[in-house]
Structures are given as C-alpha cells and as structure tokens.
Amino acid sequence: METEFTHNVKFKVSLSNGETLYEGKGDYKEIENELSPWQRLLLYTSTNNLEITSLSLYTDNGQTFNLPSAGKNPKFKIWGELEQPLDYNLFRMIAKEKDFNNGVIGEDVIVDWFTGIEAIYPTHKLQLWINECNTQNCWVCIVNL
Amino acid sequence: MKTNTTYTALEVLKELNTNFKFGEEEYTPEEVFGKGRIVIAGIRGIVDPKDLIKIQSKTTKLNIVVGVKAYELKVEADDEEYTITEEAQKVKEEQKPTEIVEETKEN
C-alpha cells in the first residue's frame, strides 16, 4: 500500500522461538485500517508467550542499524559478553509545517521524519534514530530512566 | 483495580498475586523490576516499581506481560472522581522539585 508515509526504514526482529520477522513482508505488511505491523508483532509475541531477542532497522538498499542483542548466540559476538537489554521498542516521529513563500501559505511539508528503535535496560534506554528522508543519517541517544 | 485511578507499577503487579519467573529464577513483585521485560497496558520499559500508571475511564481490563507470560487484570468502572492511591501520591510528592529557600548571592 503506497501512502504519503510509506516508510524507507523498517524493522527486523528476532524472537525467542527462533523466528525472524520483517516489517513489509509476510504478515507484517502495512494494511489500511488495521493494527500497524509493530502492533501486530506485539500482539503475536504476547499471545504466544514470546520475547523479542533482537531488534534492528533495515532499508531496501541494504543498510542495517542494529541494537545490542538479548539472544543467546548473537552474530556480533561482543554483545554476548555485555549487559543485555530487558526489552525493545519501536517509535516513529514526524513533524510538518506549512510551506510559506512570498507571503503565500502553501502545502504541508515534512521537516523531520524519524524511525527509531530502543533497547531498554534497568537504568537507561539506548536509542537509534534514523532519518527517513535521508537514511545515511543516524543518531544514538542514551536516555536515563 | 478501578478506572480513573493512578497506581504505582508495584501495586499493579501485586494485584496479580503471584511471583514471576525469568529462566530458573523466581522473583516477588518487589524484586522483579529491572530483572526482565515488564509491559503494563502496552507501556514498555517498566523498570521502576514507582512508575505511575493511570487507568483511564472506560478501561475494562489491563493487559500485563512479565517475561514471556501474559496476564489480564479486570478493572472496575469508577469514573466519578479521579483518585490516586496513597503509594502513588507519595511517589508524586517525591518527584516535586525542591523549593529553593536561599537566594543566590552575587559575587
């Protein structure tokens, strides 16, 4: 489904039963008037007593952005030796403003549009923010809880 | 649990009347925060027993996930007046900024 807000940045998630699921594929495509792919994933995990063991973002041109894993055998080995997240979350933020040119108020223009993921620890959250308008740009934040 | 009322996250977990297991370890509601995933009413990242949860009007049940186990708490309708539990009120008082009682002296 093509909309004004078709995402360039999508989630990829691994679950405690070994499944790996991708936003935009299979059961996790955007469907008008239904729960979002992320909400459907959360429903699936709670209904089936599953945990998210890793969360990353990907783009169709092959970029990936990875949070630390909570799995038993992460591909990036260092993560297996470090404190593992308790949980994960996905968020999206968008800001629009009116185009204003020569005294004429025009169309709405997107000024900021991010997809973000966070790894939740006992005392803080580690966030990755990706710019949907230019996926070459990524920021990391640590938020104290 | 009642609608239009604010509770602490600890009070919500105590309502389940159970301990919680992460792997082989078992924890009481007081001990479980920060040990694993806790989701209350869709709010992820509950790591502090003093996190405040307000149950909105017209809520009929509260979905809770601790680790891999999902729970459901029935909620009674009580929308007439907003209430806050004693524990939640204490937490709110602790969060108030400290009043400055001395003026800054100029150098």
Coordinates of all heavy atoms in Angstrom, one line a residue, chain A residues 25-84:
Chain A
K25 N 7.0 -7.5 5.1 CA 6.9 -8.9 4.4 C 6.0 -9.8 5.2 O 5.8 -9.6 6.4 CB 8.3 -9.5 4.5 CG 9.4 -8.7 3.7 CD 10.7 -9.3 3.7 CE 11.7 -8.3 3.0 NZ 13.1 -8.8 3.0
G26 N 5.4 -10.7 4.5 CA 4.5 -11.7 5.1 C 3.4 -11.1 5.9 O 2.7 -10.2 5.4
D27 N 3.2 -11.5 7.2 CA 2.1 -11.0 8.0 C 2.4 -9.6 8.5 O 1.5 -9.0 9.2 CB 2.0 -11.9 9.2 CG 1.4 -13.2 8.9 OD1 0.8 -13.3 7.8 OD2 1.7 -14.2 9.6
Y28 N 3.5 -9.0 8.2 CA 3.8 -7.6 8.7 C 3.9 -6.5 7.7 O 4.7 -5.6 7.8 CB 5.1 -7.8 9.6 CG 4.8 -8.7 10.7 CD1 5.2 -10.1 10.6 CD2 4.1 -8.3 11.8 CE1 4.8 -11.0 11.6 CE2 3.7 -9.2 12.8 CZ 4.1 -10.6 12.7 OH 3.8 -11.5 13.7
K29 N 3.0 -6.6 6.7 CA 2.9 -5.5 5.8 C 1.9 -4.5 6.3 O 1.0 -4.9 7.1 CB 2.3 -6.0 4.4 CG 3.3 -6.9 3.7 CD 2.7 -7.4 2.3 CE 3.7 -8.3 1.7 NZ 3.1 -9.0 0.5
E30 N 2.0 -3.3 5.9 CA 1.1 -2.2 6.3 C -0.3 -2.5 5.6 O -0.3 -2.7 4.4 CB 1.6 -0.9 5.8 CG 1.0 0.3 6.4 CD 1.6 0.8 7.7 OE1 2.8 0.7 7.8 OE2 0.9 1.4 8.5
I31 N -1.3 -2.6 6.4 CA -2.7 -2.8 5.9 C -3.6 -1.7 6.4 O -3.7 -1.5 7.6 CB -3.2 -4.2 6.3 CG1 -2.3 -5.3 5.9 CG2 -4.6 -4.4 5.7 CD1 -2.6 -6.7 6.4
E32 N -4.2 -1.0 5.5 CA -5.1 0.1 5.8 C -6.1 -0.3 6.8 O -6.7 -1.3 6.7 CB -5.7 0.7 4.6 CG -6.2 2.1 4.7 CD -6.6 2.7 3.4 OE1 -6.3 2.1 2.3 OE2 -7.2 3.8 3.4
N33 N -6.4 0.6 7.8 CA -7.4 0.4 8.9 C -7.2 -0.9 9.8 O -8.1 -1.3 10.4 CB -8.8 0.2 8.2 CG -9.2 1.5 7.5 OD1 -8.8 2.6 7.9 ND2 -9.8 1.4 6.3
E34 N -6.0 -1.4 9.8 CA -5.6 -2.5 10.7 C -4.5 -2.0 11.6 O -3.9 -1.0 11.4 CB -5.2 -3.7 9.9 CG -6.4 -4.3 9.2 CD -6.2 -5.8 9.0 OE1 -5.3 -6.4 9.5 OE2 -7.0 -6.4 8.2
L35 N -4.3 -2.8 12.6 CA -3.2 -2.5 13.5 C -1.9 -2.4 12.7 O -1.7 -3.1 11.7 CB -3.0 -3.6 14.5 CG -4.0 -3.8 15.6 CD1 -3.7 -5.0 16.5 CD2 -4.2 -2.6 16.5
S36 N -1.0 -1.5 13.2 CA 0.3 -1.4 12.4 C 1.1 -2.7 12.5 O 0.8 -3.5 13.4 CB 1.1 -0.2 13.1 OG 1.6 -0.6 14.3
P37 N 2.1 -2.9 11.6 CA 2.9 -4.1 11.7 C 3.5 -4.2 13.1 O 3.6 -5.4 13.6 CB 4.0 -3.8 10.7 CG 3.3 -3.0 9.6 CD 2.4 -2.1 10.4
W38 N 4.0 -3.2 13.7 CA 4.6 -3.3 15.1 C 3.6 -3.7 16.1 O 3.8 -4.6 16.9 CB 5.2 -2.0 15.5 CG 5.9 -2.0 16.8 CD1 5.5 -1.3 18.0 CD2 7.1 -2.7 17.2 NE1 6.3 -1.6 19.0 CE2 7.3 -2.4 18.6 CE3 8.0 -3.5 16.5 CZ2 8.4 -2.9 19.3 CZ3 9.1 -4.0 17.2 CH2 9.3 -3.7 18.6
Q39 N 2.4 -3.2 16.0 CA 1.3 -3.6 17.0 C 0.9 -5.0 16.8 O 0.7 -5.7 17.8 CB 0.1 -2.7 16.8 CG 0.3 -1.2 17.3 CD 0.6 -1.1 18.7 OE1 0.3 -1.9 19.5 NE2 1.3 0.0 19.1
R40 N 0.9 -5.5 15.5 CA 0.6 -6.9 15.3 C 1.7 -7.8 15.8 O 1.4 -8.9 16.3 CB 0.4 -7.1 13.8 CG -1.0 -6.9 13.3 CD -1.2 -7.2 11.8 NE -1.1 -6.0 11.1 CZ -0.4 -5.9 9.9 NH1 0.2 -6.9 9.4 NH2 -0.4 -4.7 9.3
L41 N 2.9 -7.3 15.7 CA 4.0 -8.1 16.2 C 3.9 -8.2 17.7 O 4.1 -9.3 18.3 CB 5.3 -7.5 15.9 CG 6.6 -8.1 16.6 CD1 6.9 -9.4 15.9 CD2 7.7 -7.2 16.6
L42 N 3.6 -7.1 18.4 CA 3.5 -7.2 19.9 C 2.3 -8.1 20.3 O 2.5 -8.8 21.3 CB 3.2 -5.8 20.4 CG 4.3 -4.7 20.2 CD1 4.0 -3.4 20.9 CD2 5.7 -5.3 20.8
L43 N 1.3 -8.1 19.6 CA 0.1 -9.0 19.9 C 0.5 -10.4 19.7 O 0.2 -11.3 20.5 CB -1.0 -8.6 18.9 CG -2.4 -9.3 19.2 CD1 -2.9 -8.9 20.6 CD2 -3.4 -8.8 18.1
Y44 N 1.3 -10.7 18.6 CA 1.8 -12.0 18.3 C 2.7 -12.5 19.5 O 2.5 -13.7 20.0 CB 2.5 -12.0 17.0 CG 3.1 -13.4 16.6 CD1 2.3 -14.5 16.3 CD2 4.5 -13.5 16.6 CE1 2.9 -15.7 16.0 CE2 5.1 -14.7 16.2 CZ 4.3 -15.8 15.9 OH 4.9 -17.0 15.6
T45 N 3.6 -11.7 19.9 CA 4.5 -12.1 21.0 C 3.8 -12.4 22.3 O 4.0 -13.3 23.0 CB 5.7 -11.1 21.2 OG1 5.1 -9.8 21.6 CG2 6.5 -11.0 20.0
S46 N 2.8 -11.5 22.7 CA 2.2 -11.7 24.0 C 1.2 -12.9 23.9 O 1.1 -13.6 24.9 CB 1.4 -10.4 24.4 OG 0.4 -10.1 23.6
T47 N 0.6 -13.1 22.8 CA -0.4 -14.2 22.6 C 0.4 -15.6 22.7 O -0.1 -16.6 23.1 CB -1.1 -14.1 21.3 OG1 -1.8 -12.9 21.2 CG2 -2.2 -15.2 21.1
N48 N 1.6 -15.6 22.2 CA 2.4 -16.8 22.1 C 3.5 -16.9 23.1 O 4.4 -17.8 22.9 CB 2.9 -16.9 20.6 CG 1.8 -17.1 19.6 OD1 1.3 -18.2 19.5 ND2 1.5 -16.0 18.9
N49 N 3.5 -16.0 24.1 CA 4.5 -16.1 25.2 C 5.9 -16.0 24.6 O 6.8 -16.9 25.0 CB 4.3 -17.4 26.0 CG 3.0 -17.4 26.7 OD1 2.4 -16.4 26.9 ND2 2.5 -18.6 27.0
L50 N 6.2 -15.1 23.8 CA 7.5 -14.9 23.2 C 8.1 -13.6 23.6 O 7.4 -12.7 23.9 CB 7.4 -15.0 21.6 CG 6.8 -16.2 21.0 CD1 6.5 -16.1 19.5 CD2 7.8 -17.4 21.2
E51 N 9.5 -13.6 23.5 CA 10.2 -12.4 23.8 C 10.9 -11.9 22.5 O 11.3 -12.8 21.7 CB 11.2 -12.6 24.9 CG 10.6 -12.5 26.3 CD 11.7 -12.6 27.3 OE1 12.6 -13.4 27.3 OE2 11.6 -11.8 28.3
I52 N 11.1 -10.6 22.4 CA 12.0 -10.1 21.3 C 13.4 -10.3 21.8 O 13.8 -9.8 22.9 CB 11.7 -8.6 21.0 CG1 10.2 -8.5 20.6 CG2 12.7 -8.1 20.0 CD1 9.8 -7.0 20.4
T53 N 14.3 -10.9 21.0 CA 15.7 -11.1 21.4 C 16.6 -10.2 20.6 O 17.8 -10.1 21.0 CB 16.1 -12.6 21.2 OG1 15.8 -13.0 19.9 CG2 15.3 -13.5 22.2
S54 N 16.1 -9.7 19.5 CA 16.9 -8.6 18.9 C 16.0 -7.8 18.0 O 15.0 -8.2 17.5 CB 18.1 -9.2 18.0 OG 17.6 -9.7 16.8
L55 N 16.4 -6.5 17.8 CA 15.7 -5.6 17.0 C 16.6 -4.7 16.2 O 17.6 -4.2 16.8 CB 14.8 -4.7 17.9 CG 14.0 -3.6 17.3 CD1 13.0 -4.2 16.3 CD2 13.3 -2.8 18.3
S56 N 16.4 -4.6 14.9 CA 17.2 -3.7 14.1 C 16.3 -3.1 13.0 O 15.1 -3.4 12.9 CB 18.3 -4.5 13.4 OG 18.0 -5.8 13.0
L57 N 16.8 -2.1 12.4 CA 16.1 -1.4 11.3 C 16.9 -1.7 10.0 O 18.1 -1.9 10.0 CB 16.1 0.1 11.5 CG 15.3 0.5 12.7 CD1 15.4 2.0 13.0 CD2 13.8 0.2 12.6
Y58 N 16.1 -1.8 8.9 CA 16.8 -2.0 7.6 C 16.1 -1.2 6.5 O 15.0 -0.7 6.7 CB 16.7 -3.5 7.2 CG 15.4 -4.0 6.7 CD1 15.1 -4.0 5.3 CD2 14.4 -4.4 7.6 CE1 13.8 -4.5 4.9 CE2 13.1 -4.8 7.1 CZ 12.9 -4.8 5.8 OH 11.6 -5.2 5.3
T59 N 16.9 -0.9 5.4 CA 16.3 -0.2 4.3 C 16.4 -1.2 3.1 O 17.2 -2.1 3.1 CB 17.1 1.1 4.0 OG1 18.4 0.7 3.6 CG2 17.1 2.0 5.1
D60 N 15.6 -0.9 2.1 CA 15.6 -1.7 0.9 C 16.9 -1.7 0.1 O 17.2 -2.6 -0.7 CB 14.4 -1.3 -0.1 CG 13.1 -1.7 0.5 OD1 13.0 -2.7 1.4 OD2 12.1 -1.1 0.2
N61 N 17.7 -0.7 0.3 CA 19.0 -0.6 -0.4 C 20.1 -1.3 0.4 O 21.3 -1.2 0.1 CB 19.4 0.8 -0.7 CG 19.7 1.6 0.5 OD1 19.5 1.2 1.6 ND2 20.1 2.9 0.3
G62 N 19.7 -2.0 1.5 CA 20.7 -2.9 2.2 C 21.3 -2.3 3.4 O 22.2 -3.0 4.0
Q63 N 21.0 -1.1 3.9 CA 21.5 -0.6 5.1 C 20.9 -1.3 6.3 O 19.7 -1.6 6.2 CB 21.2 0.9 5.2 CG 22.0 1.8 4.3 CD 21.6 3.2 4.4 OE1 20.4 3.5 3.9 NE2 22.4 4.1 4.9
T64 N 21.7 -1.6 7.3 CA 21.1 -2.1 8.6 C 21.6 -1.3 9.8 O 22.7 -0.9 9.7 CB 21.4 -3.6 8.8 OG1 22.8 -3.8 8.8 CG2 20.8 -4.5 7.7
F65 N 20.8 -1.2 10.8 CA 21.1 -0.5 12.0 C 20.7 -1.4 13.2 O 19.5 -1.7 13.3 CB 20.3 0.9 12.1 CG 20.5 1.7 10.8 CD1 19.6 1.6 9.8 CD2 21.5 2.6 10.8 CE1 19.8 2.3 8.6 CE2 21.7 3.4 9.6 CZ 20.8 3.3 8.5
N66 N 21.7 -1.8 14.0 CA 21.4 -2.9 14.9 C 21.6 -2.4 16.4 O 22.5 -1.8 16.7 CB 22.4 -4.0 14.7 CG 22.3 -4.6 13.3 OD1 21.3 -5.1 12.9 ND2 23.4 -4.4 12.5
L67 N 20.6 -2.8 17.2 CA 20.7 -2.6 18.6 C 21.4 -3.8 19.2 O 21.4 -4.9 18.6 CB 19.3 -2.5 19.3 CG 18.6 -1.2 19.1 CD1 17.2 -1.3 19.6 CD2 19.4 0.0 19.7
P68 N 22.0 -3.7 20.5 CA 22.5 -4.9 21.1 C 21.5 -6.0 21.2 O 20.3 -5.8 21.4 CB 22.9 -4.4 22.5 CG 23.2 -2.9 22.3 CD 22.2 -2.5 21.2
S69 N 22.0 -7.2 21.1 CA 21.1 -8.4 21.1 C 20.9 -8.9 22.5 O 21.7 -8.8 23.4 CB 21.7 -9.5 20.3 OG 21.1 -10.7 20.4
A70 N 19.7 -9.5 22.8 CA 19.4 -10.2 24.0 C 19.4 -11.7 23.8 O 19.0 -12.5 24.6 CB 18.1 -9.7 24.6
G71 N 19.9 -12.1 22.6 CA 19.9 -13.6 22.3 C 21.0 -14.3 22.9 O 21.9 -13.7 23.5
K72 N 21.0 -15.6 22.9 CA 22.0 -16.5 23.5 C 23.2 -16.5 22.6 O 24.3 -16.8 23.2 CB 21.4 -17.9 23.7 CG 20.4 -18.0 24.8 CD 19.9 -19.4 25.0 CE 18.7 -19.3 26.0 NZ 17.8 -20.3 25.9
N73 N 23.1 -16.4 21.4 CA 24.3 -16.5 20.5 C 24.3 -15.5 19.4 O 24.1 -15.8 18.2 CB 24.2 -17.9 19.9 CG 25.6 -18.3 19.3 OD1 26.6 -17.7 19.6 ND2 25.6 -19.3 18.5
P74 N 24.5 -14.2 19.8 CA 24.4 -13.1 18.8 C 25.5 -13.2 17.7 O 26.6 -13.7 18.0 CB 24.6 -11.8 19.6 CG 25.2 -12.2 20.8 CD 24.9 -13.7 21.1
K75 N 25.1 -12.8 16.5 CA 26.1 -12.8 15.4 C 27.3 -11.9 15.7 O 28.4 -12.2 15.4 CB 25.5 -12.3 14.1 CG 24.6 -13.4 13.4 CD 24.1 -12.9 12.1 CE 23.1 -13.9 11.6 NZ 22.3 -13.4 10.5
F76 N 27.0 -10.8 16.3 CA 28.1 -9.8 16.7 C 28.5 -10.3 18.1 O 27.9 -10.0 19.1 CB 27.6 -8.4 16.7 CG 28.6 -7.3 16.9 CD1 29.7 -7.2 16.1 CD2 28.5 -6.4 18.0 CE1 30.7 -6.3 16.3 CE2 29.4 -5.4 18.1 CZ 30.5 -5.4 17.3
K77 N 29.6 -11.0 18.2 CA 29.9 -11.8 19.4 C 30.1 -11.0 20.6 O 29.8 -11.4 21.8 CB 31.2 -12.6 19.2 CG 31.1 -13.7 18.1 CD 30.2 -14.8 18.5 CE 30.0 -15.8 17.4 NZ 28.8 -16.7 17.7
I78 N 30.6 -9.8 20.5 CA 30.9 -8.9 21.7 C 29.6 -8.7 22.5 O 29.6 -8.7 23.7 CB 31.4 -7.5 21.2 CG1 32.8 -7.7 20.6 CG2 31.5 -6.6 22.4 CD1 33.3 -6.5 20.0
W79 N 28.4 -8.6 21.8 CA 27.2 -8.4 22.5 C 26.9 -9.6 23.5 O 26.2 -9.4 24.5 CB 26.0 -8.3 21.5 CG 26.0 -6.9 20.9 CD1 26.5 -5.8 21.4 CD2 25.3 -6.5 19.7 NE1 26.3 -4.7 20.6 CE2 25.5 -5.2 19.5 CE3 24.6 -7.2 18.7 CZ2 25.0 -4.5 18.4 CZ3 24.1 -6.6 17.7 CH2 24.3 -5.2 17.5
G80 N 27.4 -10.8 23.2 CA 27.1 -11.9 24.1 C 27.8 -11.7 25.4 O 27.5 -12.4 26.4
E81 N 28.9 -10.8 25.5 CA 29.6 -10.7 26.7 C 29.2 -9.4 27.5 O 29.7 -9.2 28.6 CB 31.1 -10.5 26.3 CG 31.7 -11.7 25.6 CD 33.0 -11.4 24.8 OE1 33.6 -10.3 25.1 OE2 33.3 -12.2 23.9
L82 N 28.3 -8.7 26.9 CA 27.9 -7.4 27.5 C 26.5 -7.5 28.2 O 25.8 -8.5 27.9 CB 27.9 -6.3 26.5 CG 29.2 -6.0 25.8 CD1 29.0 -4.9 24.7 CD2 30.3 -5.6 26.8
E83 N 26.2 -6.5 29.0 CA 24.8 -6.5 29.6 C 23.8 -6.5 28.5 O 23.9 -5.8 27.5 CB 24.6 -5.2 30.4 CG 23.3 -5.1 31.1 CD 23.1 -3.8 31.9 OE1 23.9 -2.9 31.7 OE2 22.1 -3.7 32.5
Q84 N 22.8 -7.4 28.6 CA 21.8 -7.5 27.5 C 20.5 -6.7 27.9 O 20.1 -6.6 29.0 CB 21.4 -9.0 27.3 CG 22.6 -9.8 26.8 CD 22.2 -11.2 26.4 OE1 21.5 -11.8 27.0 NE2 22.8 -11.6 25.3

